Amino acid sequence: MLAACALAYALSVGSVVLGHPNGLTVSADPSAPTLPLWQVFLPPVVGVALTLLLPPRRTSQPAVVGEARALRHGTAFLVGLAVLTIGLGLSPLSDVDFVLSKALLFMVLPALALRFVWRGGVQVLRAGGAWRWWAPLAVVVVWAWLSQAAPWVPAADFSGHDLTFLLLGAAVTALTAGVGEELFYRRWLQTRLEVWLGPAAGIALTCVLFGLMHFGTHGSTDLARDAALIVAVQGTSGLFLGLLWWRYRNIAMNILAHLIMNGWAVAAYLLTR
């Protein structure tokens, strides 16, 4: 599984680098600027490096089997939801319907199933210490500056959007993506896949599934091109977020990073307009 995911990722990044030498538009917003490739990939790569380096001492917080039957059925259920979401992204759903579907599939159904049907399938052996807060916070601050606030990052222009629509969209995205995707892909799915496949393969498969989920917001008419783009770009962001969860087991920091990823541009525009 690890080799297959690594190959898919390498081919996707290679096709993006060769096919888009002048840069990429990574946001689904129609007013989003085109960014040079180094600006697209540098922040998550730096985030990955810092996650692996901070703190410098070795720490281990493995995910282990709780109740075997609950783990088996809960994992299959979550993988099925992830695949279903990819399918919905390829279907002709409206943006509103897709967002509502994400809220149902990423938050409501998993929360109910893992709380009342397959409870206790996996446990995380968390380590103690203040490093679980200061280290991921330092990582997120550096990553956020590189990706959102550095001098070379162009300011977003939402002047053509209705203010009420912009605020509503930002709030819905914060809930379904910032909170929902982190709970679903990292806290619930990745943790269980780490038990089944090992940490490396579990993170890798989660990254691919997380990337392909973005067909619903970043897809066009060229399926192969879209798949390469979202696995390369959103998959790289997913790798950063997956390692952040694996290393620190602090879902609040994952949610913070995802909120910044999706909401910084809107917040900066509203504060400076």
Side-chain angles (χ1 to χ4, degrees):
M1 181 61 69
L2 178 60
C5 292
L7 178 61
Y9 178 75
L11 292 174
S12 297
V13 172
S15 68
V16 167
V17 171
L18 294 176
H20 300 82
N22 297 322
L24 288 171
T25 302
V26 297
S27 173
D29 187 88
S31 61
T34 298
L35 303 177
L37 291 179
W38 69 266
Q39 195 171 321
V40 173
F41 290 106
L42 178 64
V45 169
V46 171
V48 165
L50 289 176
T51 300
L52 296 175
L53 292 173
L54 292 177
R57 67 180 183 276
R58 180 175 178 81
T59 58
S60 179
Q61 301 185 89
V64 298
V65 178
E67 201 281 310
R69 181 180 179 277
L71 173 64
R72 182 170 62 252
H73 291 285
T75 305
F77 178 70
L78 293 174
V79 171
L81 290 180
V83 173
L84 176 59
T85 306
I86 295 171
L88 291 177
L90 294 170
S91 67
L93 285 178
S94 68
D95 291 342
V96 173
D97 289 338
F98 183 68
V99 169
L100 292 175
S101 298
K102 284 176 60 178
L104 178 66
L105 297 177
F106 288 169
M107 303 178 72
V108 177
L109 291 180
L112 292 175
L114 299 179
R115 177 66 176 82
F116 297 107
V117 183
W118 300 302
R119 184 177 182 180
V122 65
Q123 298 178 4
V124 175
L125 304 181
R126 287 182 170 85
W131 65 271
R132 290 186 57 242
W133 288 93
W134 69 258
L137 182 59
V139 172
V140 171
V141 167
V142 173
W143 163 83
W145 183 80
L146 286 172
S147 63
Q148 308 292 334
W152 55 79
V153 179
D157 180 13
F158 297 100
S159 57
H161 296 267
D162 176 73
L163 181 59
T164 301
F165 177 81
L166 189 62
L167 290 171
L168 180 61
V172 171
T173 300
L175 179 63
T176 59
V179 178
E181 289 176 15
E182 288 310 303
L183 288 174
F184 181 83
Y185 283 100
R186 256 59 70 173
R187 178 62 184 88
W188 294 329
L189 179 59
Q190 178 183 308
T191 307
R192 286 163 173 78
L193 290 178
E194 286 182 38
V195 176
W196 283 109
L197 304 172
I203 293 170
L205 179 55
T206 304
C207 289
V208 172
L209 293 172
F210 173 74
L212 293 176
M213 175 268 297
H214 289 83
F215 271 124
T217 52
H218 293 71
S220 62
T221 57
D222 189 333
L223 190 62
R225 173 185 174 277
D226 292 345
L229 278 172
I230 58 182
V231 169
V233 178
Q234 278 71 33
T236 302
S237 297
L239 177 61
F240 164 56
L241 293 168
L243 287 172
L244 195 71
W245 167 243
W246 167 77
R247 186 81 198 277
Y248 305 115
R249 302 302 191 192
N250 190 330
I251 199 63
M253 290 294 126
N254 273 75
I255 291 173
L256 175 62
H258 209 133
L259 290 174
I260 292 172
M261 187 182 300
N262 289 332
W264 182 285
V266 174
Y269 169 75
L270 293 175
L271 291 173
T272 58
R273 61 191 292 269

